[in-house]
Amino acid sequence: MLLCACASNIVVDYDQNTDFSRYRTYGWGQGMPAKNPNLDRQIMGAIDEQMARKGFTKTEGDPDLVVTYHAATHEEIDYNEASYGSGYGSSISPSAAEVPMKVKVGTVVVDMYDPKTNRNVWHGAGSGLLGDDSGKMSGEIQKGAAKMFEIAHG
């Protein structure tokens, strides 16, 4: 049984050599979405809202950035950028793409990739965002996404 961890922990890292002002659009890439369709919509909606607040426009074709998310809802998941980022490498940490890590239950990982360079340029993770109480969870997802993008690249 999952318990809601009400105090979320947000970690963000990004490629400091990337000029984020040149990115205007984004599209969704393949990640490891929540198995629950309602939860999947909540997470994607929260990310879409934060991307819009940062001035990005969602597009279906030829985006400047590809966004993926991975949700560990009821079991730990194995995550590495190489396997879940559709072959994109990392400019945040060159070895990050090769080092698998366990993502704890209740965690959402968000990555942004530059499809022209095939590089991960932004990475965020929020633990304690997912749990059994759907009302409380919706609020945690919204707050976690807001905090993740608040401490984003600026």
Side-chain angles (χ1 to χ4, degrees), residues 5-134:
C6 297
S8 59
N9 182 29
I10 306 296
V11 177
V12 172
D13 193 13
Y14 61 95
D15 180 3
Q16 296 183 7
N17 295 318
T18 298
D19 176 9
F20 285 90
S21 67
R22 66 186 181 95
Y23 300 123
R24 302 274 184 236
T25 63
Y26 76 98
W28 284 98
Q30 184 64 38
M32 184 174 279
K35 290 177 175 70
N36 177 323
N38 292 328
L39 182 56
D40 179 51
R41 280 192 295 275
Q42 285 180 10
I43 294 169
M44 290 182 73
I47 295 169
D48 282 340
E49 180 181 330
Q50 294 305 316
M51 292 295 286
R53 287 183 181 201
K54 286 286 188 180
F56 294 97
T57 302
K58 185 164 67 169
T59 183
E60 296 297 319
D62 199 25
D64 298 329
L65 288 171
V66 174
V67 177
T68 64
Y69 92 85
H70 317 286
T73 52
H74 290 87
E75 59 189 33
E76 282 188 347
I77 60 172
D78 291 321
Y79 163 87
N80 70 37
E81 292 172 8
S83 62
Y84 295 115
S86 302
Y88 294 105
S90 175
S91 33
I92 298 168
S93 171
S95 62
E98 301 164 7
V99 179
M101 63 180 176
K102 291 282 187 196
V103 178
K104 293 182 182 178
V105 171
T107 300
V108 175
V109 176
V110 180
D111 288 297
M112 293 183 209
Y113 301 92
D114 182 326
K116 289 178 179 64
T117 62
N118 290 338
R119 304 290 283 176
N120 180 316
V121 296
W122 190 91
H123 172 85
S127 62
L129 300 178
L130 307 175
D132 279 336
D133 185 337
S134 62

